Amino acid sequence: MEPGLKRLEAVLAIARRGSFRAAALDIGISTTALSHTIGRMEAELGVRLFNRTTRSVGLTDAGRDFVARVTPALTEIRAAIDGVRAQRQTPTGLLRINASVQAGRAVAPLVLTFLHRYPDMQVDLVTEGRLVDIVAEGFDLGIRPADLVPRDMIALPMGQPQRHAVVAAPKWLALHPAPASPADLNPDHCLRVRLPNGALLRWPFEKDGISVPFDAKGRLTVDEAAIARAAVLDGAGIGYFIEADVAEDIAEGRLIRLLPDWTPARPGFSLYYPGRRNPSAGFTAFLAMVRG
């Protein structure tokens, strides 16, 4: 018996997530059902695809070869299905979007409008800090800050330019002088920010057309804005944030804004996707809404 499409999707989900539990959540079945599915498939193929322990799941050599061969084939099958669906006048199906947390918040109102307008559509909006390969992980669209969009993707600007904010807690400023310019910053007092692509953020200060990148060298490195905010509120040092993430704290006096004239607006989020030969009607409709 040849493996069915859903079982092939299950194999790729486990390979992608490295976990039966996470893969089961992705494809909407129970962990037990997924385990039985893979067990039957391995029995029919006569080869083990995964090495399992109580703590981890990894591909066997045969499994790695199988996934490498199946992945492009499934990509073509999805494209064929999208091509057929594109011939429908009414958008239907599932649209999967991967975004940063902040980008997810920004696109959420548009997603809700889209769902109201197209009742036969479903949207799976996944927010996470890491920058994923949206093609390899089965997403239709990605949303990230414009400067983090992979170069081989088609990008569409979305939303307004964003400002950033440099902030510190009043209790921290009671013990340290407030900087008048980036040159006054002590790098050791500044939290380091890890970007979704793994690189450390160079704080992009700018004034009167002069760019002054700054390398923070604080003892704490974070990749999630909520954790960084909590640390700065606790007096851990100076933080660099998207303005919206700390606007309420600034307004309420919990955080004090520093160097406001050195943080001009920068490009906002971009929606991005690979070139598609036969985009589905739902995909096309969503892009049309983003373009306004």
Side-chain angles (χ1 to χ4, degrees):
M1 180 184 297
E2 297 299 326
L5 182 60
K6 289 186 177 180
R7 290 200 287 176
L8 297 178
E9 295 277 12
V11 171
L12 295 191
I14 298 168
R16 181 173 66 246
R17 299 301 299 270
S19 161
F20 272 73
R21 182 177 182 181
L25 288 172
D26 276 358
I27 61 180
I29 65 174
S30 70
T31 305
T32 300
L34 179 58
S35 181
H36 288 164
T37 295
I38 297 302
R40 288 195 300 270
M41 185 173 175
E42 290 177 326
E44 292 168 6
L45 292 173
V47 65
R48 184 174 290 276
L49 300 175
F50 297 97
N51 288 318
R52 307 167 179 79
T53 70
T54 56
R55 295 185 178 181
S56 65
V57 176
L59 288 165
T60 63
D61 289 342
R64 277 189 290 272
D65 182 63
F66 185 77
V67 167
R69 290 169 178 263
V70 165
T71 298
L74 278 182
T75 299
E76 287 297 315
I77 292 171
R78 292 188 191 110
I81 292 172
D82 286 345
V84 172
R85 286 176 174 165
Q87 299 177 32
R88 292 175 56 103
Q89 293 183 348
T90 303
T92 185
L94 174 66
L95 195 64
R96 299 193 72 224
I97 304 173
N98 185 280
S100 65
V101 174
Q102 294 89 347
R105 293 172 186 156
V107 80
L110 184 65
V111 167
L112 294 176
T113 300
F114 177 76
L115 292 174
H116 283 303
R117 186 175 299 179
Y118 301 108
D120 293 331
M121 285 297 304
Q122 301 175 49
V123 174
D124 181 8
L125 176 59
V126 177
T127 60
E128 55 187 321
R130 68 190 181 103
L131 187 63
V132 306
D133 182 335
I134 62 171
V135 176
E137 302 210 12
F139 290 97
D140 300 289
L141 300 160
I143 308 174
R144 286 294 190 281
D147 55 358
L148 291 180
V149 173
R151 293 182 179 180
D152 59 346
M153 294 286 166
I154 299 170
L156 181 64
M158 190 190 76
Q160 300 299 314
Q162 292 185 335
R163 289 202 67 185
H164 288 80
V166 180
V167 295
K171 63 181 180 181
W172 191 89
L173 287 169
L175 301 174
H176 304 85
S181 75
D184 297 329
L185 289 171
N186 183 334
D188 293 335
H189 293 167
C190 300
L191 275 68
R192 302 201 303 172
V193 177
R194 190 174 301 283
L195 296 169
N197 62 4
L200 291 173
L201 172 69
R202 301 190 76 196
W203 295 11
F205 291 117
E206 183 180 335
K207 185 178 181 181
D208 299 328
I210 299 174
S211 178
V212 183
F214 174 82
D215 290 315
K217 297 181 180 179
R219 295 165 57 205
L220 177 63
T221 302
V222 295
D223 63 1
E224 210 286 317
I227 299 173
R229 171 182 169 272
V232 174
L233 284 168
D234 192 53
I238 299 175
Y240 191 98
F241 297 88
I242 292 175
E243 184 180 55
D245 288 337
V246 291
E248 186 174 336
D249 294 311
I250 294 171
E252 298 293 334
R254 291 185 293 269
L255 293 174
I256 305 300
R257 188 165 194 165
L258 308 171
L259 308 175
D261 52 345
W262 283 91
T263 53
R266 300 178 61 81
F269 296 115
S270 285
L271 179 145
Y272 62 94
Y273 55 94
R276 303 183 70 149
R277 289 174 296 178
N278 297 298
S280 68
F283 180 91
T284 302
F286 191 79
L287 289 189
M289 287 186 61
V290 172
R291 292 188 178 102

